[in-house]
Amino acid sequence: MRVLITRPAADTAAAHAALTAAGHTVTAHPLTESEPVADASLNLAAAQGFIATDPDGVRALADRVGVRTFPIYCDGPATAAAAHAAGFKTVINADGDAAAIARAVQRDLKPTGGALIYAASNTAPVNLSAMLANMGFSVRQVGLYAIKRARELPAALAEGLASGAYDAVALFTPDDARTFAVLVKQSGLETKTRNLIAGVAAPPVAAPLSALKFARVITARGAGPAEMGEALAAAEREARAAADAAADKADGERRERESSEQAAREQAARVQREAEDQARIAQEAAAREQAEREAAERQRQADAAAERAARQRDEQERATREAAAREAESRRNAERERIAREQAEQ
């Protein structure tokens, strides 16, 4: 899958490596950077542990304090890896959101053991501190770093969105998500995210994305880039399976449609043949009837001619007989006249 990441430059290498290891093609365009807050007040008196929810928080904390023996509670593998790299001895990966960190703290520490130092950005919400306070812990949330956001999308990123060069965007923090959403809308490219999968490291990261429409928004099972890579790979497999299923369905529907069309053509051909056969039979019957009528007419005419001939023969025979009778009568009359003359002469 072609994945876009917008992590700060300091975190890009780790995210790039983890996502590449999961089989993705990664393009990095940092949209945020962290800057230390110089006048942040950090008091370790009566403290018992640290909390960090971002690698930037770990680095800002490490720059300000030399203590590495306090346990540090982290939200996920990326933050935990930064804590190990900074030399902290006891790193607890809660592998989840603020509630997961609060549960891990409650499991391991007692409120009476001292305060917790939360190394946060200067704009971080206080929900984690509030959760721990409700559990009885004292939390000192310190804004050790500020998030510097890009003022506009880099030209290459904007071009990539416009041309459909990405299949997914991986967002690890609410600041990442908020900056991406704001700059995409500012650039008029919000319609270009509709075919993207948005991978988020935790549910709170998804909240700023509500201003955009995505093909899917998936939540990784952990806050680290490895978990993100696995989540996106799973989404890609699901998408491929869905596409294969859709293709199989379409192919089945096509075959069914072709079969139905073939059956319809065959039915139409049968109907046509039956109609032609019926027409032929009707024509043959009509021809036979015509032939029979003509034969009957010829027979009638022949019978009439024979009858006329018979009448003519009868008339001729009668005329012949009458002529013969007249001739015989004439001969008899002549004979009687002869006899009479002879007698008269004697």
Tab-separated table of all heavy atoms in Angstrom, residues 196-229:
chain	number	residue	atom	x	y	z
A	196	LEU	N	-8.972	7.466	0.211
A	196	LEU	CA	-7.870	7.138	1.116
A	196	LEU	C	-8.365	6.365	2.330
A	196	LEU	O	-9.472	6.596	2.823
A	196	LEU	CB	-7.182	8.407	1.620
A	196	LEU	CG	-6.257	9.192	0.684
A	196	LEU	CD1	-5.686	10.377	1.436
A	196	LEU	CD2	-5.135	8.299	0.187
A	197	ILE	N	-7.518	5.472	2.827
A	197	ILE	CA	-7.713	4.875	4.146
A	197	ILE	C	-6.936	5.717	5.140
A	197	ILE	O	-5.767	6.027	4.915
A	197	ILE	CB	-7.223	3.420	4.177
A	197	ILE	CG1	-8.088	2.536	3.278
A	197	ILE	CG2	-7.223	2.873	5.612
A	197	ILE	CD1	-7.587	1.115	3.155
A	198	ALA	N	-7.594	6.135	6.201
A	198	ALA	CA	-6.915	6.875	7.262
A	198	ALA	C	-6.607	5.903	8.389
A	198	ALA	O	-7.514	5.328	8.996
A	198	ALA	CB	-7.781	8.025	7.765
A	199	GLY	N	-5.313	5.697	8.657
A	199	GLY	CA	-4.903	4.861	9.771
A	199	GLY	C	-4.561	5.743	10.953
A	199	GLY	O	-3.742	6.663	10.830
A	200	VAL	N	-5.199	5.504	12.110
A	200	VAL	CA	-4.940	6.328	13.298
A	200	VAL	C	-4.407	5.429	14.404
A	200	VAL	O	-4.754	4.252	14.508
A	200	VAL	CB	-6.206	7.073	13.765
A	200	VAL	CG1	-6.689	8.027	12.681
A	200	VAL	CG2	-7.336	6.102	14.138
A	201	ALA	N	-3.548	6.021	15.237
A	201	ALA	CA	-2.892	5.248	16.287
A	201	ALA	C	-3.795	5.014	17.490
A	201	ALA	O	-3.539	4.104	18.286
A	201	ALA	CB	-1.606	5.945	16.726
A	202	ALA	N	-4.830	5.815	17.657
A	202	ALA	CA	-5.747	5.675	18.791
A	202	ALA	C	-7.025	6.440	18.457
A	202	ALA	O	-7.020	7.332	17.593
A	202	ALA	CB	-5.114	6.241	20.074
A	203	PRO	N	-8.142	6.096	19.115
A	203	PRO	CA	-9.410	6.768	18.804
A	203	PRO	C	-9.357	8.288	18.859
A	203	PRO	O	-9.947	8.953	17.994
A	203	PRO	CB	-10.367	6.180	19.849
A	203	PRO	CG	-9.816	4.824	20.127
A	203	PRO	CD	-8.325	4.976	20.068
A	204	PRO	N	-8.657	8.910	19.844
A	204	PRO	CA	-8.627	10.386	19.853
A	204	PRO	C	-8.004	11.006	18.608
A	204	PRO	O	-8.290	12.161	18.285
A	204	PRO	CB	-7.803	10.713	21.106
A	204	PRO	CG	-7.953	9.520	21.988
A	204	PRO	CD	-7.993	8.352	21.050
A	205	VAL	N	-7.153	10.250	17.930
A	205	VAL	CA	-6.514	10.777	16.718
A	205	VAL	C	-7.537	10.947	15.607
A	205	VAL	O	-7.390	11.805	14.730
A	205	VAL	CB	-5.364	9.851	16.267
A	205	VAL	CG1	-4.680	10.393	15.016
A	205	VAL	CG2	-4.348	9.676	17.395
A	206	ALA	N	-8.583	10.137	15.643
A	206	ALA	CA	-9.588	10.193	14.575
A	206	ALA	C	-10.492	11.413	14.687
A	206	ALA	O	-11.070	11.851	13.685
A	206	ALA	CB	-10.425	8.916	14.592
A	207	ALA	N	-10.637	11.958	15.876
A	207	ALA	CA	-11.597	13.054	16.086
A	207	ALA	C	-11.370	14.241	15.158
A	207	ALA	O	-12.331	14.736	14.548
A	207	ALA	CB	-11.571	13.485	17.548
A	208	PRO	N	-10.145	14.744	14.988
A	208	PRO	CA	-9.960	15.906	14.105
A	208	PRO	C	-10.228	15.607	12.631
A	208	PRO	O	-10.296	16.537	11.823
A	208	PRO	CB	-8.490	16.284	14.320
A	208	PRO	CG	-8.090	15.652	15.613
A	208	PRO	CD	-8.880	14.397	15.682
A	209	LEU	N	-10.345	14.322	12.275
A	209	LEU	CA	-10.544	13.957	10.875
A	209	LEU	C	-12.001	14.020	10.447
A	209	LEU	O	-12.319	13.761	9.284
A	209	LEU	CB	-10.008	12.532	10.623
A	209	LEU	CG	-8.519	12.317	10.890
A	209	LEU	CD1	-8.155	10.860	10.636
A	209	LEU	CD2	-7.670	13.240	10.025
A	210	SER	N	-12.889	14.355	11.375
A	210	SER	CA	-14.321	14.355	11.050
A	210	SER	C	-14.672	15.360	9.960
A	210	SER	O	-15.711	15.236	9.307
A	210	SER	CB	-15.141	14.645	12.310
A	210	SER	OG	-14.794	15.921	12.836
A	211	ALA	N	-13.799	16.343	9.739
A	211	ALA	CA	-14.063	17.343	8.702
A	211	ALA	C	-13.809	16.795	7.303
A	211	ALA	O	-14.178	17.427	6.315
A	211	ALA	CB	-13.192	18.579	8.928
A	212	LEU	N	-13.172	15.621	7.205
A	212	LEU	CA	-12.859	15.020	5.910
A	212	LEU	C	-13.598	13.699	5.752
A	212	LEU	O	-14.005	13.074	6.723
A	212	LEU	CB	-11.348	14.777	5.781
A	212	LEU	CG	-10.436	16.000	5.885
A	212	LEU	CD1	-8.973	15.562	5.822
A	212	LEU	CD2	-10.740	17.003	4.776
A	213	LYS	N	-13.741	13.287	4.509
A	213	LYS	CA	-14.346	11.998	4.203
A	213	LYS	C	-13.247	11.053	3.714
A	213	LYS	O	-12.454	11.408	2.844
A	213	LYS	CB	-15.418	12.137	3.119
A	213	LYS	CG	-16.563	13.064	3.483
A	213	LYS	CD	-17.377	12.493	4.636
A	213	LYS	CE	-18.572	13.390	4.935
A	213	LYS	NZ	-19.357	12.899	6.086
A	214	PHE	N	-13.232	9.846	4.305
A	214	PHE	CA	-12.255	8.838	3.908
A	214	PHE	C	-12.973	7.566	3.476
A	214	PHE	O	-14.132	7.333	3.845
A	214	PHE	CB	-11.311	8.506	5.075
A	214	PHE	CG	-10.392	9.632	5.453
A	214	PHE	CD1	-10.763	10.551	6.423
A	214	PHE	CD2	-9.165	9.773	4.832
A	214	PHE	CE1	-9.925	11.592	6.784
A	214	PHE	CE2	-8.309	10.810	5.178
A	214	PHE	CZ	-8.688	11.722	6.154
A	215	ALA	N	-12.268	6.744	2.701
A	215	ALA	CA	-12.831	5.442	2.343
A	215	ALA	C	-13.061	4.614	3.604
A	215	ALA	O	-14.097	3.950	3.746
A	215	ALA	CB	-11.893	4.700	1.389
A	216	ARG	N	-12.094	4.664	4.511
A	216	ARG	CA	-12.202	3.989	5.813
A	216	ARG	C	-11.309	4.705	6.799
A	216	ARG	O	-10.304	5.304	6.409
A	216	ARG	CB	-11.738	2.522	5.733
A	216	ARG	CG	-12.633	1.565	5.016
A	216	ARG	CD	-12.052	0.168	5.068
A	216	ARG	NE	-11.966	-0.357	6.419
A	216	ARG	CZ	-11.327	-1.485	6.753
A	216	ARG	NH1	-10.702	-2.182	5.824
A	216	ARG	NH2	-11.312	-1.902	8.007
A	217	VAL	N	-11.677	4.634	8.062
A	217	VAL	CA	-10.794	5.079	9.144
A	217	VAL	C	-10.569	3.862	10.026
A	217	VAL	O	-11.516	3.292	10.566
A	217	VAL	CB	-11.412	6.227	9.957
A	217	VAL	CG1	-10.490	6.594	11.123
A	217	VAL	CG2	-11.652	7.451	9.076
A	218	ILE	N	-9.325	3.433	10.134
A	218	ILE	CA	-9.002	2.247	10.928
A	218	ILE	C	-8.117	2.654	12.091
A	218	ILE	O	-7.300	3.567	11.981
A	218	ILE	CB	-8.315	1.154	10.080
A	218	ILE	CG1	-6.987	1.672	9.508
A	218	ILE	CG2	-9.226	0.681	8.968
A	218	ILE	CD1	-6.153	0.597	8.856
A	219	THR	N	-8.289	1.967	13.212
A	219	THR	CA	-7.501	2.252	14.407
A	219	THR	C	-6.539	1.100	14.645
A	219	THR	O	-6.953	-0.069	14.727
A	219	THR	CB	-8.412	2.422	15.636
A	219	THR	OG1	-9.349	3.468	15.369
A	219	THR	CG2	-7.604	2.778	16.867
A	220	ALA	N	-5.253	1.416	14.734
A	220	ALA	CA	-4.245	0.389	14.984
A	220	ALA	C	-4.407	-0.166	16.403
A	220	ALA	O	-4.987	0.470	17.283
A	220	ALA	CB	-2.851	0.974	14.807
A	221	ARG	N	-3.894	-1.361	16.618
A	221	ARG	CA	-3.992	-1.995	17.931
A	221	ARG	C	-2.901	-1.531	18.882
A	221	ARG	O	-2.663	-2.157	19.907
A	221	ARG	CB	-3.937	-3.511	17.762
A	221	ARG	CG	-5.150	-4.068	17.030
A	221	ARG	CD	-5.113	-5.579	16.993
A	221	ARG	NE	-6.297	-6.124	16.357
A	221	ARG	CZ	-6.525	-7.426	16.183
A	221	ARG	NH1	-5.613	-8.308	16.598
A	221	ARG	NH2	-7.632	-7.835	15.596
A	222	GLY	N	-2.248	-0.484	18.535
A	222	GLY	CA	-1.211	0.096	19.370
A	222	GLY	C	-0.791	1.415	18.755
A	222	GLY	O	-1.131	1.724	17.616
A	223	ALA	N	-0.054	2.201	19.515
A	223	ALA	CA	0.277	3.547	19.053
A	223	ALA	C	1.540	3.601	18.220
A	223	ALA	O	1.899	4.664	17.718
A	223	ALA	CB	0.421	4.475	20.266
A	224	GLY	N	2.255	2.479	18.066
A	224	GLY	CA	3.531	2.498	17.364
A	224	GLY	C	3.392	2.328	15.869
A	224	GLY	O	2.365	1.874	15.362
A	225	PRO	N	4.442	2.671	15.123
A	225	PRO	CA	4.409	2.521	13.664
A	225	PRO	C	4.309	1.074	13.208
A	225	PRO	O	3.754	0.805	12.151
A	225	PRO	CB	5.718	3.174	13.206
A	225	PRO	CG	6.601	3.193	14.411
A	225	PRO	CD	5.687	3.311	15.580
A	226	ALA	N	4.846	0.129	13.985
A	226	ALA	CA	4.730	-1.279	13.603
A	226	ALA	C	3.274	-1.716	13.618
A	226	ALA	O	2.795	-2.402	12.696
A	226	ALA	CB	5.561	-2.151	14.549
A	227	GLU	N	2.569	-1.327	14.686
A	227	GLU	CA	1.144	-1.657	14.757
A	227	GLU	C	0.364	-0.976	13.634
A	227	GLU	O	-0.571	-1.547	13.063
A	227	GLU	CB	0.564	-1.241	16.108
A	227	GLU	CG	1.043	-2.064	17.294
A	227	GLU	CD	2.405	-1.626	17.814
A	227	GLU	OE1	3.000	-0.694	17.230
A	227	GLU	OE2	2.875	-2.215	18.792
A	228	MET	N	0.769	0.255	13.309
A	228	MET	CA	0.127	0.958	12.200
A	228	MET	C	0.354	0.206	10.892
A	228	MET	O	-0.568	0.045	10.080
A	228	MET	CB	0.663	2.383	12.090
A	228	MET	CG	0.070	3.183	10.951
A	228	MET	SD	-1.683	3.553	11.189
A	228	MET	CE	-1.536	4.825	12.475
A	229	GLY	N	1.594	-0.247	10.691
A	229	GLY	CA	1.902	-1.004	9.475
A	229	GLY	C	1.066	-2.257	9.372
A	229	GLY	O	0.553	-2.596	8.298
